[in-house]
Amino acid sequence: MRRAIGVAMATIALAGLTGCTGSAGSSGPTGGSSFGSETSAIHGTTRVVPELTQGQIWDRSVCSRLDPQRVAEASATGVVGWTIRATKARKQVTSTVGAPTFDYCRIATRAEPRADSRRTRGTSTKDEGFGVYVGVSASVWSDTRWKEYRSAALHSRLPASRYSGGELEHAGGREVLVQRGLPVTRALVLVEDRVLSVQVRGPVSGTTQLLAVLRQVLPQLKALPASPVTARSAACEKADVRAESALGGSAVVRRDSGSGDELTCGWATHDAFVHVHARGGVDFAPALRHAASGMGASPVHGVGDAAVYTAGKNGTPPTVRVASNRHLIFVEGSGGKVSKATLTAVAAELLGNY
């Protein structure tokens, strides 16, 4: 029993990390919906509008226009003691559902200590998520909306923000908002009616590297094809009404994907979002009951085999976790009318999948 609880607790913690994909202060592409997937979802099939394969979506991404090695070299600007090279990566676009929602592509890199450095010889980063992540906002932005967001970021007024304020820099003749957070820092810039987000993950990922990469990316944005607005799964559509009640209005962006026992769903407006990650595995109920006695979680009654609610704090959004039939449903959200009751209602609608 202790082993089962330990496994379930570890999985619940992982769900918390992979589920945190959005909010006004998202830490970035740490999970979220696989954008453009055409694999079967639970009790349904993901439908992309317009229907594009993952390869076609990649071809429309910023990353497909970039020289991987030049980007890798830019990400190493000012880095001492490491050699950073581009590596072959999956040609995939993933979405972080939040306010704002970004569709991210990645130029993967590998960092190795230089032979003349004092670092341990033979050390290798393998694939630890290192690389350059380039995101384009899923919805259009007006100048007014951008100025309001920029002001809120600079004065630490973003709700559920994982970033501690922001600062203004310049690159390519444009004003850049740099947001510092854990575990990553990102640079945002308004380009016509979309917001571009750049993150660098590696041995050093500061402002110098971000601005160097931005200078590589900005020239490639001219006439970039727009991404599909909607990626829906029939398994997620069951919760459309409840999710939009939590948002306080109709979703502007939808991002779903899933296959087998893995399902992600996302609904977002300009200033609110609801994100779901569901997965199968061991019996999660004992771990949730245990969590209700700690972790700042409170029990939720009347849904699933066990459920807990955690109020948002320290930049994390409010969350509801529900265990049912050896599945865990993780629901988080921010803004709008998001609450313990509205998030629980979303989870309750999705229980029918299991």
Side-chain angles (χ1 to χ4, degrees), residues 24-274:
S26 166
S27 60
T30 57
S33 300
S34 178
F35 184 44
S37 172
E38 294 186 332
T39 58
S40 296
I42 304 171
H43 294 177
T45 300
T46 300
R47 301 193 302 278
V48 180
V49 182
E51 293 187 2
L52 300 174
T53 65
Q54 184 60 242
Q56 289 172 322
I57 291 175
W58 170 267
D59 289 341
R60 296 160 69 102
S61 73
V62 183
C63 294
S64 69
R65 299 178 170 208
L66 297 172
D67 181 326
Q69 189 52 42
R70 291 186 65 182
V71 171
E73 292 169 358
S75 74
T77 302
V79 177
V80 178
W82 291 89
T83 297
I84 300 179
R85 299 184 178 88
T87 64
K88 185 176 182 180
R90 296 177 62 190
K91 295 183 177 181
Q92 185 173 11
V93 177
T94 58
S95 300
T96 61
V97 178
T101 293
F102 287 103
D103 298 319
Y104 278 96
C105 57
R106 173 190 174 200
I107 300 295
T109 61
R110 183 186 182 102
E112 296 178 336
R114 290 175 50 180
D116 58 352
S117 75
R118 295 183 179 180
R119 299 183 184 277
T120 302
R121 294 180 182 276
T123 300
S124 174
T125 65
K126 298 182 180 179
D127 185 355
E128 299 176 359
F130 282 6
V132 173
Y133 294 81
V134 181
V136 178
S137 63
S139 62
V140 298
W141 284 57
S142 65
D143 288 338
T144 299
R145 183 185 170 203
W146 167 248
K147 290 177 181 178
E148 290 174 347
Y149 183 90
R150 181 189 62 190
S151 177
L154 292 174
H155 295 90
S156 300
R157 295 198 305 264
L158 292 174
S161 178
R162 295 185 176 88
Y163 293 93
S164 55
E167 57 196 58
L168 294 180
E169 299 285 350
H170 289 83
R174 296 178 181 270
E175 182 180 77
V176 180
L177 172 65
V178 176
Q179 293 180 295
R180 302 192 181 283
L182 293 174
V184 295
T185 296
R186 70 181 179 186
L188 304 181
V189 57
L190 179 67
V191 181
E192 296 183 356
D193 61 355
R194 302 275 173 159
V195 175
L196 173 71
S197 172
V198 170
Q199 296 180 11
V200 176
R201 297 191 182 188
V204 178
S205 54
T207 301
T208 299
Q209 291 75 38
L210 283 171
L211 297 183
V213 171
L214 263 179
R215 294 185 181 97
Q216 293 287 324
V217 174
L218 286 170
Q220 306 303 322
L221 295 179
K222 186 177 181 180
L224 185 72
S227 297
V229 174
T230 302
R232 294 179 180 270
S233 166
C236 296
E237 288 175 348
K238 297 178 179 181
D240 277 352
V241 173
R242 296 295 188 183
E244 293 192 341
S245 293
L247 294 175
S250 299
V252 176
V253 175
R254 290 284 282 106
R255 290 289 188 267
D256 303 339
S257 69
S259 178
D261 279 351
E262 293 282 343
L263 178 68
T264 62
C265 314
W267 301 260
T269 63
H270 292 314
D271 55 8
F273 79 94
V274 173

Side-chain angles (χ1 to χ4, degrees), residues 9 12 285-299 308 310 321:
M9 287 293 286
I12 288 170
L288 286 185
R289 295 189 188 102
H290 179 75
S293 62
M295 295 174 55
S298 60
V308 297
T310 306
R321 296 171 174 85

